[in-house]
Every structure is written in structure tokens, then in C-alpha cells.
Amino acid sequence: MARVYNFYAGPATLPVEALQEAQKNLVDYEGSGLSLIETSHRSKEYDAVHTATIDLIKELLGVPSGYSVLLLGGGASMQFGMVPMNLMPQGGSCDMTLTGSWAKKALADAKKLGTVHLVYDGGDSAFTTLPDPASVQSSANSSYLHITSNETIEGVQWKRFPQTEAPLVADMSSDILSRPLSVDQFGIIYAGAQKNLGPSGVTIVIIRDDLLERAPDSLPAYLNYRTHAKSGSLYNTPPVFSIYMVKLVLEWLQRQGGLGAMAERNRKKAALLYDAIETSGSFYRCPVDPRYRSDMNVVFRLPSEDLEKRFVTEAGATGMIGLKGHRSVGGIRASIYNAMPEEGVSKLVSFMSSFAQAHA
Ligand SMILES: *Cc1c(COP(=O)(O)O)cnc(C)c1O
């Protein structure tokens, strides 16, 4: 089997052990005589997977009591609307931090539903830096303050989080479960699975229970968090296969030593790349403020767009794919989520060194 090193931003590389286990079980799920994806979502087989997935998320993240873990459809993008619909009363307001492309989308939806105070606007710095968390405060009567913990396209990542009066809501799609954190600092954490947790199709929402009470009854059932909290995320047919894959990835994560061990490995992988950039004699250049460089999505530029194209093509020819930066910003982006092995990063670093030598 010749697996490439996959640097795509999402859907993204998954642990090969998890893929193999799914393959082994695809046709005959653990001797049940049928596949899990043709089993009723009310069956005992699926129920065990569903419950185990929620329990693993709680265990790995240390979710305290008083929070619910929901497994929803619609992607993280649906949360851009669900958060304001559920948390912000009509005519109400919220605070947002504009830190990059994903925050911008969240902002656009929130604006349709109420008044948004921008407490930080990174547009002037082309989203290459973040505010000091201590300087971020919510405004009076704000329903919540929204941040994007890791901007997948621009490669900036909050290293510490603001302490705010209003509940803190975080889009953690591209760095959830990459490091330990204190869930009790947050009102809501949400994340699409396809960056760091599994395939696309399922979105994790961790919500403080008192916030469930804010949802207006006028909301359609699916769009109301309370519907899902009450039914244990079995109000309708959940994305069963995606949830099963997430469970396998979480079990792998646990075998790796959990979030502490994973964070250490992630920092080490990111440091290898940033060091390679910094010591390249300005052949490679990372535009991001060193204080906020992402451990998940490492972005950098080469001396010309032409060289960037060649870099992507030549890397691809040696079995490293997905290195092209997002079309909106250009350049190179190496997404190095939990499942990217250190050998993949080392291989990229040595490729970078020989490419720079050949073209400097
Ligand atoms: C990918 C991504 C999204 C969008 O996720 P979908 O599941 O495609 O809706 C939102 N926010 C961040 C930070 C992302 O990386």
C-alpha cells in the first residue's frame, strides 16, 4: 500500500489504523451480519457507537457536568446561523472577532440576525495576527462573544482565550482535540469533523446547559439546540458512518496518550516547519505574527508565484499532496493535523531544503 502524505486542509488525513478498522468492519459490523451503515440508527449496535463517541469526546476534552455534547449535521457552517438563532434574542446583539476567512463567514450570518459589535478587526493586518486575549472584552448586553480558535486559511491560532463577561463561543473546526483546553471557559464550542476528527458530515457542538434555555420556541425543530439535547442527538437520523469514523479516530487519539501528548507532538511538528522557513535565508517567508502561528495550518510564501507552482507540483511527484494554499490567499499551506505523522513533516522539511538550494 502506497499512502501519500496528505497535507489537505479538509477533508484531511486520518489515522491509517482507523481507516483499516472501518474497512475490516464495513461489510459485517462486528459479526452482526450487516454493515453499520445499513443498520437502524435505533439499533443496539448503533446506539453503542453513538454513546461511545459522545463519552470519548467528554473524556478526552474533560467536559465538565453541566454541558451537553451534540452530534449534528450541516457542517460548521450551519453553526454560523444556529448560534445567533439560539443565543441572541430578536433585536439583540453579539460580539465577534474578525480574524480571517472563517470568522468573516460567521460574521455575515450573525449580522442577518441581530446587531454585531466587532471587538477586533484583523483586516488591516491582512489577518496575519490576533488581539491580545486580555484586551478582548464583551460589550454591555451582548448575548455572546464569538472567536475562531484557528483560522484554517490564514494560519493564525489563538494560544490563550479571552475571559469575557458574555459567554464565549468558539469555532474550533480546525484545531479541536489538538491540545488540552478548559471547556468551562466556553459557552459553546463547535467543530466540523473533517479537519481533525473524521470524515465530513458530522459537527460536534459542546454547549453549556443554561444556554439551551435561550432558544426561542419559534425555531424549526432541527435548528433548536434543545431538540438535540433532549433527544441525545437522535431527533432524526444522525450521520451514522461519520460518527462511527469519529469514534475510531477518538480511540486512536486515546491510544496516542490523549490531548497532552498530542499537543506536544503537534507543537514539535509545527516547530520543524517554522524553523525550516526561518532558517531558509528568506527563500521561504511566513507572513504570520510568530506569537500566533498555527500548529495546524502552516502557511508560507516563496519568492514568486511561479516557484510556488513548481513547489506544489514537485512535492506532489514525491508523494506529498495538498500543499497549495487556499485560492483566496495563494502561497503554500501545509495542514498538519493530529493524524499527520512526524515523518510526513520531516519529509516536507527535507524537500523544502533541497528545493530552496535548487532555486535560490
Ligand atoms: C472548514 C471550516 C469551517 C466550515 O466547515 P463546514 O463543515 O464545511 O461547514 C468553518 N470554520 C472553520 C474554522 C473551518 O476550518
Side-chain angles (χ1 to χ4, degrees), residues 77-160:
S77 298
M78 194 165 81
Q79 298 310 309
F80 296 163
M82 270 181 82
V83 168
M85 277 184 225
N86 280 264
L87 262 53
M88 183 165 60
Q90 260 200 339
S93 68
C94 68
D95 295 308
M96 300 195 81
T97 49
L98 180 51
T99 50
S101 303
W102 287 114
K104 203 175 206 167
K105 288 198 165 170
L107 171 68
D109 273 357
K111 270 184 176 168
K112 294 177 183 170
L113 295 155
T115 305
V116 178
H117 303 296
L118 259 197
V119 296
Y120 173 77
D121 183 351
D124 294 342
S125 70
F127 304 122
T128 55
T129 188
L130 289 174
D132 176 356
S135 73
V136 176
Q137 298 294 335
S138 52
S139 37
N141 302 319
S142 164
S143 294
Y144 62 90
L145 186 144
H146 183 280
I147 65 167
T148 307
S149 60
N150 182 69
E151 286 285 0
T152 322
I153 292 174
E154 286 81 3
V156 291
Q157 182 180 35
W158 293 78
K159 303 297 172 180
R160 287 177 305 112

Side-chain angles (χ1 to χ4, degrees), residues 51-301:
T51 309
T53 307
I54 292 171
D55 288 348
L56 279 163
I57 293 168
K58 286 186 175 165
E59 194 180 322
L60 282 161
L61 268 175
V63 178
S65 64
Y67 281 79
S68 297
V69 175
L70 313 178
L71 306 175
L72 307 185
S77 298
M78 194 165 81
Q79 298 310 309
F80 296 163
M82 270 181 82
V83 168
M85 277 184 225
N86 280 264
L87 262 53
M88 183 165 60
Q90 260 200 339
S93 68
C94 68
D95 295 308
M96 300 195 81
T97 49
L98 180 51
T99 50
S101 303
W102 287 114
K104 203 175 206 167
K105 288 198 165 170
L107 171 68
D109 273 357
K111 270 184 176 168
K112 294 177 183 170
L113 295 155
T115 305
V116 178
H117 303 296
L118 259 197
V119 296
Y120 173 77
D121 183 351
D124 294 342
S125 70
F127 304 122
T128 55
T129 188
L130 289 174
D132 176 356
S135 73
V136 176
Q137 298 294 335
S138 52
S139 37
N141 302 319
S142 164
S143 294
Y144 62 90
L145 186 144
H146 183 280
I147 65 167
T148 307
S149 60
N150 182 69
E151 286 285 0
T152 322
I153 292 174
E154 286 81 3
V156 291
Q157 182 180 35
W158 293 78
K159 303 297 172 180
R160 287 177 305 112
F161 301 106
Q163 307 263 357
T164 52
E165 185 80 24
L168 185 61
V169 174
D171 174 2
M172 290 199 186
S173 295
S174 52
D175 69 351
I176 191 164
L177 291 161
S178 69
R179 52 181 171 172
L181 55 92
S182 300
V183 173
D184 61 8
Q185 274 185 269
F186 298 88
I188 294 184
I189 293 170
Y190 65 88
Q194 71 273 22
K195 313 288 166 46
N196 218 11
L197 291 183
S200 60
V202 61
T203 302
I204 316 293
V205 175
I206 303 169
I207 180 166
R208 212 175 65 207
D209 289 338
D210 61 291
L211 298 176
L212 293 167
E213 300 314 315
R214 289 204 200 170
D217 288 326
S218 58
L219 284 177
Y222 195 90
L223 298 178
N224 190 319
Y225 287 130
R226 220 162 36 235
T227 304
H228 304 288
K230 273 190 186 153
S231 62
S233 301
L234 284 163
Y235 165 70
N236 69 332
T237 319
V240 295
F241 188 70
S242 299
I243 291 171
Y244 171 53
M245 281 302 310
V246 168
K247 170 180 171 275
L248 298 179
V249 172
L250 296 175
E251 287 167 347
W252 170 84
L253 188 49
Q254 209 168 35
R255 291 196 297 275
Q256 303 305 301
L259 300 193
M262 195 47 70
E264 210 170 294
R265 216 169 307 166
N266 286 334
R267 271 195 299 269
K268 191 171 164 204
K269 286 187 294 179
L272 283 173
L273 275 171
Y274 290 120
D275 285 350
I277 293 164
E278 293 306 322
T279 57
S280 69
S282 78
F283 184 81
Y284 300 108
R285 198 174 46 79
C286 174
V288 180
D289 182 340
R291 292 173 297 171
Y292 302 112
R293 289 181 177 176
S294 171
D295 287 344
M296 298 278 99
N297 310 97
V298 177
V299 298
F300 54 98
R301 305 297 314 230

Side-chain angles (χ1 to χ4, degrees), residues 10-62:
T13 191
L14 291 175
V16 69
E17 287 170 42
L19 293 170
Q20 282 169 334
E21 193 166 343
Q23 179 188 43
K24 197 178 78 193
N25 273 300
L26 185 66
V27 176
D28 180 8
Y29 179 72
E30 293 184 351
S32 62
L34 74 172
S35 176
L36 191 74
I37 57 176
E38 31 177 25
T39 310
S40 166
H41 61 292
R42 312 282 175 196
S43 69
K44 67 175 189 327
E45 286 82 9
Y46 178 70
D47 193 61
V49 168
H50 190 87
T51 309
T53 307
I54 292 171
D55 288 348
L56 279 163
I57 293 168
K58 286 186 175 165
E59 194 180 322
L60 282 161
L61 268 175

